Amino acid sequence: MEKSSSTLIARLLGGSLVKQIMIGLLAGIALAWFSKDTALAVGLLGSLFVNALKAVAPLLVLVLVIASIANHKHGQKSNIRPIILLYLLSTFFAAVVAVVCSHLYPQVLTLSAAQTEITPPSGIVEVLNGLLMSMVANPFDALIHANYIGILVWAIGLGIAFRHSSESTKQLLNDASDAVTWMVRIVIRCAPLGIFGLVASILASTGFSALWNYAHLLTLLIGCMLLMALVFNPMLVWWKIRRNPYPLVFTCLRESGVTAFFTRSSAANIPVNMALAKRLGLDEDTWSVSIPLGATISMAGASITITVLTLAAVNTLGIHVDVPTAVLLSLVASLCACGASGVAGGSLLLIPVACNMFGIPNDVAMQVVAVGFIIGVLQDSAETALNSSTDILFTAAVCQAEEQRAAAKSPS
């Protein structure tokens, strides 16, 4: 009996995580259909899973980055610069795609008075100020509040300092990194149960009735995100690896995008992306830094959301947008997206910043934000899936391109 139980547990832990997640997804839909009260109750499983990911992610980033930099050898390449370039290009291209699609398929909103206690940033200067202040945050405060900018700054600084430490200290850092990674693997194996709870509770509590009123807007948003995920991101990957990018694209969408779709948090998906990077055999010195950094600045989905909803407000108010203004909006939306927090709905609060450049009053801009929260069940899920899968996609592309270059240089 004990042997059969241990065999079952081993099979569950060693089975395909994606298949198990799909089973959890279907089970959640079925439960929400047959029993709304039970579906709401099992939402606890989803909350526990997301909170566990959010709890372990800051510590994972801190320990991995410190260990990676401390053990980094002089002259060893980390390939961070080309990855950052791809992150920024993708975020800007996403804004351009959103501008073009919004021009071809213009949207009009029904705005009404909306009461909210959320105070958005008042402009680009405030967004930049927030980013700079995050860099000098207290390290314990940064860990508690999942301030990844602050965590990265402290981790990089401590990592550089530990490069001059003894080998035994560096080994301790490596052991700590392995221990936290093991904890992360345990949490990720709970993903099927977490997705089951999330899907069941979301469908039971909201359904899709409220989404039908904004079906056209959702179609545009998700269409732009699909264009980025399946056309423009693959083009950028091909530019780096010079071969068919779609096997890598579909792997990242399947392994990272599906989980991010349901957690709706780039920050919570950091451990998932790091686990995938390890399975792909990527350079740990690279992905241990690029993936948490991508959760902060690789925001193609957020760029699309900010641009589309801002232009919907502009169309509603009858404001003319010329080409130079459209280009400026793309730059502003890209910068705002990079300042968006890696949590559910983080990009929506930066819509008033983009609206400000058209002179749209803050009370009207906040009504647009309210519309964003109404459609957030799908919009924010798709946005996070694009954001997070892009992080691992570009990291993998640059690492594989570097491997190809090294193989071409080595004697046969």
Side-chain angles (χ1 to χ4, degrees):
M1 182 69 180
E2 290 181 1
K3 185 176 181 180
S4 61
S5 298
S6 60
T7 303
L8 177 61
I9 293 172
R11 188 176 300 171
L12 287 173
L13 292 177
S16 170
L17 187 61
V18 175
K19 290 180 181 177
Q20 293 175 8
I21 287 174
M22 293 307 297
I23 293 171
L25 169 62
L26 295 174
I29 294 172
L31 183 61
W33 178 269
F34 289 110
S35 177
K36 181 177 179 181
D37 292 337
T38 307
L40 290 172
V42 300
L44 175 63
L45 295 173
S47 299
L48 287 172
F49 174 62
V50 173
N51 286 337
L53 282 173
K54 288 181 178 178
V56 75
L59 183 61
L60 175 69
V61 170
L62 179 70
V63 173
L64 278 184
V65 174
I66 291 176
S68 175
I69 295 176
N71 289 280
H72 184 77
K73 306 299 182 184
H74 289 287
Q76 182 180 344
K77 294 185 67 176
S78 61
N79 305 313
I80 295 298
R81 193 172 300 172
I83 295 175
I84 293 175
L85 176 62
L86 289 177
Y87 285 164
L88 298 179
L89 284 175
S90 177
T91 301
F92 177 71
F93 287 165
V96 174
V97 167
V99 168
V100 173
C101 291
S102 293
H103 176 72
L104 298 174
Y105 191 33
Q107 301 296 309
V108 176
L109 305 175
T110 301
L111 301 177
S112 58
Q115 298 296 323
T116 179
E117 297 179 357
I118 300 173
T119 304
S122 60
I124 293 293
V125 174
E126 188 171 340
V127 174
L128 292 174
N129 181 67
L131 286 172
L132 292 173
M133 292 303 293
S134 295
M135 294 174 65
V136 294
N138 180 286
F140 297 103
D141 182 78
L143 281 170
I144 291 170
H145 294 98
N147 168 14
Y148 286 96
I149 292 291
I151 291 171
L152 278 172
V153 169
W154 278 99
I156 291 170
L158 288 172
I160 293 172
F162 276 121
R163 289 180 70 174
H164 306 288
S165 61
S166 64
E167 289 302 318
S168 59
T169 301
K170 293 179 181 179
Q171 184 58 47
L172 175 64
L173 292 173
N174 285 332
D175 291 342
S177 174
D178 292 340
V180 176
T181 302
W182 182 84
M183 287 294 297
V184 169
R185 284 205 301 269
I186 297 298
V187 173
I188 291 175
R189 291 307 309 187
C190 297
L193 285 175
I195 298 301
F196 166 68
L198 286 169
V199 172
S201 60
I202 287 173
L203 291 180
S205 60
T206 65
F208 289 97
S209 57
L211 301 179
W212 288 115
N213 295 328
Y214 297 99
H216 290 173
L217 181 59
L218 267 172
T219 301
L220 176 60
L221 281 165
I222 295 177
C224 290
M225 293 175 191
L226 286 173
L227 271 175
M228 282 304 301
L230 299 176
V231 178
F232 290 94
N233 279 353
M235 288 171 60
L236 289 171
V237 172
W238 178 87
W239 175 52
K240 292 303 295 184
I241 65 176
R242 300 294 177 175
R243 65 172 188 270
N244 182 8
Y246 285 99
L248 181 59
V249 169
F250 290 138
T251 297
C252 293
L253 287 174
R254 183 179 67 248
E255 303 274 344
S256 172
V258 170
T259 309
F261 184 90
F262 293 106
T263 61
R264 297 171 62 193
S265 171
S266 296
N269 214 49
I270 287 175
V272 177
N273 280 346
M274 287 186 164
L276 176 56
K278 199 160 190 174
R279 288 201 303 276
L280 291 174
L282 307 182
D283 177 29
E284 187 170 345
D285 286 337
T286 299
W287 60 254
S288 62
V289 177
S290 68
I291 288 176
L293 184 62
T296 306
I297 67 170
S298 176
M299 292 287 178
S303 184
I304 288 170
T305 297
I306 294 168
T307 304
V308 167
L309 287 175
T310 299
L311 288 176
V314 166
N315 291 332
T316 302
L317 298 174
I319 300 173
H320 175 69
V321 180
D322 54 19
V323 173
T325 306
V327 173
L328 180 60
L329 173 61
S330 298
L331 291 170
V332 170
S334 301
L335 184 56
C336 288
C338 291
S341 61
V343 298
S347 62
L348 296 176
L349 300 183
L350 291 161
I351 291 172
V353 179
C355 286
N356 188 283
M357 64 175 284
F358 294 99
I360 297 175
N362 190 60
D363 58 341
V364 176
M366 287 309 298
Q367 293 174 41
V368 180
V369 173
V371 171
F373 278 110
I374 291 172
I375 63 175
V377 174
L378 286 181
Q379 168 270 323
D380 196 44
S381 296
E383 174 187 315
T384 308
L386 174 59
N387 289 343
S388 196
S389 62
T390 299
D391 300 346
I392 180 64
L393 174 65
F394 288 155
T395 297
V398 171
C399 288
Q400 290 183 6
E402 187 60 31
E403 288 175 6
Q404 290 174 201
R405 194 175 296 111
K409 287 181 180 178
S410 62
S412 55

